[in-house]
Amino acid sequence: MTLARDARLLKVDEGQHVLLSARADGTYAQGLPEGEPVRIAGAVEGIDITADGQSTVMWSPEVDGVRTVWLWRFGTPEAIVLSQQSRGAVLHDAAQTFVAFLERDGAGASSVQVARTAACAPGNCVLQTLLQVQDGTPVLERGGTVLSLVKGARRWLIDVPSGAVTDLGELPGFSVLSPGGTRYAWAEDARVRVFDTATGAQVWEDDIPHDGYRDWKTTHAFMLNETRVDVGAQGVYTNWPIGAPVQHFLHSCQEQGCSETVKAGIYTPYTLQGQFVMYCRPDFCQEIRCSQPSPSFLTADGVYLYSTQNPETLYGPVLGQGFADMVWLKGSKGQLHRLEWQRGDQVWTLKLDAPYPSAPIHFIPGRQQVVFHQPVSREDGTPESHLWTWSRFSRADLGTLEGTPGPGSLVRANPPTLYMDVDTVNADGTSARSIIRVAL
């Protein structure tokens, strides 16, 4: 079913109440299943919608270092402008009870501005300035309902519900806030200290083992959960000659102690398909005979996921929740494409019988299935777009797709539904774009 024409897909909430789309003149919203599209804002770079579709935060691309931030509520004719001078990240909690961002005045002072959305109305949304700092280029971060402003080595914590600000001062090492905002920590030389955000009390501290290295030092730190601090470091093996290149390491520290998780690479936090992971940029190979390793991703617990450089990978992987399942589209030059589904050490393969890319690929929520696109040939040899499902053991043809897949697609549950962009060619040869909905 075609939902919108001359539009590109942006978002559909988890409950499938509203479709948000981009058109030539801005951003549109329409109620589902059969509402009419209404323009609610200008062009956006980022957009987040609550699970029930009742609230949406949007922000424009930066122009001369500033951007516009909007708040839209389901059923209202247009979005509320929260700021036209926002800088950097736009942050909010999951329920969008607040939206936070930085603004800078003409004297160079940066202010942490918070909009409490329940009190916002069109033309009447008063921003609260919870903290202002002079000069520099501060960075605003969020963990749960806690904001953290970082300027150089100095860090402030802001409890958004109360508005209380805690100045932590100049911290002696690399500092970090946990994703849920319940802990903050810093890595100082070879020691990690973790504190309770609410009380400021130290929760634990540990030494980082570094025997066997010289010129050892910490380089960065991060937290991917509320209990563990990952610390990056570098050094040279003690028995290596003077002038030998440094090696990089990652130590995982918890209340029970620190251990070296991985080595020979720089590991940094990353969000992959909505899930926390670590990205590894490997050190150059130091041996005489060895191949240079490829960048790779690891789970938040340090378990290897996959390498970013695989000559046979054409698309993917598509990741299941918790990384239990991964699906790739693979193929070699002159060979037919195939889908590979990996679960642990098991791999299932589906040969696609035609050398065509088959994106988009999505896991279907609540089912052990993926949906994918693959053209088939009519009797006259003309390719015809089809959508399919595959369960690792069998596949099913969902029928003809009018047009070819465009850039945007997503799957929602209850009921399982695919929303996607499609491109078609008009009778006069011009191109057309639409957003369609396909029941799964």
Side-chain angles (χ1 to χ4, degrees):
M1 176 182 179
T2 299
L3 297 177
R5 301 187 186 279
D6 300 318
R8 286 296 190 203
L9 177 67
L10 289 175
K11 291 281 186 179
V12 175
D13 63 291
E14 295 290 342
Q16 302 184 66
H17 300 103
V18 62
L19 164 71
L20 299 167
S21 62
R23 300 183 182 226
D25 63 338
T27 303
Y28 281 70
Q30 65 188 87
L32 295 174
E34 297 179 357
E36 292 297 322
V38 176
R39 186 183 184 277
I40 59 171
V44 299
E45 177 184 83
I47 185 167
D48 286 325
I49 187 170
T50 55
D52 61 6
Q54 296 302 300
S55 177
T56 301
V57 175
M58 303 171 286
W59 53 96
S60 71
E62 282 193 352
V63 178
D64 296 328
V66 299
R67 66 170 95 244
T68 299
V69 182
W70 296 273
L71 170 70
W72 179 73
R73 293 192 181 98
F74 181 72
T76 58
E78 62 181 355
I80 301 167
V81 176
L82 302 184
S83 174
Q84 292 180 305
Q85 298 296 318
S86 171
R87 293 177 178 269
V90 177
L91 307 175
H92 58 83
D93 58 333
Q96 297 186 5
T97 63
F98 71 86
V99 183
F101 42 83
L102 289 175
E103 290 185 341
R104 184 181 299 167
D105 64 20
S110 295
S111 300
V112 178
Q113 303 283 30
V114 170
R116 301 187 185 279
T117 58
C120 284
N124 183 22
C125 187
V126 178
L127 301 180
Q128 288 184 289
T129 302
L130 298 187
L131 177 64
Q132 186 178 77
V133 297
Q134 300 297 320
D135 305 320
T137 54
V139 175
L140 189 63
E141 301 173 349
R142 182 187 69 86
T145 58
V146 174
L147 298 174
S148 179
L149 188 70
V150 182
K151 191 178 98 169
R154 191 170 180 179
R155 185 182 285 267
W156 293 263
L157 298 179
I158 306 170
D159 179 69
V160 176
S162 67
V165 178
T166 302
D167 185 355
L168 301 180
E170 298 275 343
L171 299 181
F174 297 95
S175 64
V176 61
L177 180 69
S178 69
T182 65
R183 300 283 187 270
Y184 67 92
W186 70 75
E188 176 186 0
D189 295 327
R191 196 158 188 80
V192 176
R193 302 178 190 270
V194 178
F195 297 81
D196 182 88
T197 303
T199 65
Q202 181 169 299
V203 181
W204 54 265
E205 62 178 303
D206 280 318
D207 289 321
I208 302 173
H210 58 286
D211 293 338
Y213 303 104
R214 67 174 188 268
D215 301 326
W216 190 95
K217 66 176 182 179
T218 58
T219 57
H220 62 291
F222 55 92
M223 294 182 74
L224 298 179
N225 59 36
E226 303 305 296
T227 61
R228 191 182 73 247
V229 183
D230 291 300
V231 181
Q234 68 179 38
V236 179
Y237 292 114
T238 302
N239 59 353
W240 280 20
I242 300 298
V246 299
Q247 292 283 286
H248 295 93
F249 318 92
L250 184 74
H251 292 79
S252 290
C253 299
Q254 302 187 73
E255 191 167 2
Q256 297 78 15
C258 295
S259 61
E260 185 177 278
T261 304
V262 285
K263 61 177 63 178
I266 299 175
Y267 292 78
T268 52
Y270 197 86
T271 301
L272 192 64
Q273 298 176 28
Q275 302 179 71
F276 287 132
V277 297
M278 289 187 283
Y279 172 75
C280 176
R281 190 178 76 236
D283 291 336
F284 288 111
C285 179
Q286 304 299 330
E287 307 298 329
I288 296 175
R289 294 181 179 179
C290 62
S291 59
Q292 177 60 29
S294 302
S296 60
F297 288 103
L298 286 74
T299 69
D301 296 324
V303 178
Y304 175 83
L305 275 175
Y306 67 94
S307 169
T308 62
Q309 295 179 3
N310 184 320
E312 284 199 321
T313 297
L314 304 175
Y315 182 84
V318 178
L319 304 174
Q321 192 62 37
F323 309 114
D325 297 275
M326 295 187 286
V327 169
W328 285 266
L329 171 65
K330 292 187 176 182
S332 302
K333 185 176 181 179
Q335 302 294 318
L336 296 178
H337 294 167
R338 66 188 186 277
L339 287 178
E340 286 189 1
W341 184 321
Q342 180 177 338
R343 177 182 296 170
D345 295 331
Q346 292 183 290
V347 177
W348 295 266
T349 300
L350 173 65
K351 295 182 179 179
L352 295 179
D353 308 320
Y356 296 105
S358 299
I361 305 169
H362 293 282
F363 283 100
I364 302 176
R367 301 181 188 173
Q368 291 295 313
Q369 286 183 327
V370 293
V371 59
F372 65 97
H373 167 258
Q374 182 193 5
V376 299
S377 295
R378 299 173 182 166
E379 291 185 0
D380 62 0
T382 303
E384 182 178 80
S385 286
H386 280 235
L387 289 174
W388 305 73
T389 61
W390 179 44
S391 67
R392 292 174 292 143
F393 307 108
S394 62
R395 65 172 171 174
D397 188 349
L398 297 184
T400 304
L401 178 67
E402 296 300 328
T404 58
S409 62
L410 56 84
V411 168
R412 291 291 181 253
N414 302 318
T417 306
L418 171 67
Y419 296 86
M420 67 182 300
D421 293 329
V422 292
D423 295 323
T424 56
V425 179
N426 298 321
D428 61 0
T430 59
S431 61
R433 59 186 188 182
S434 303
I435 302 171
I436 66 169
R437 176 175 58 208
V438 180
L440 300 176

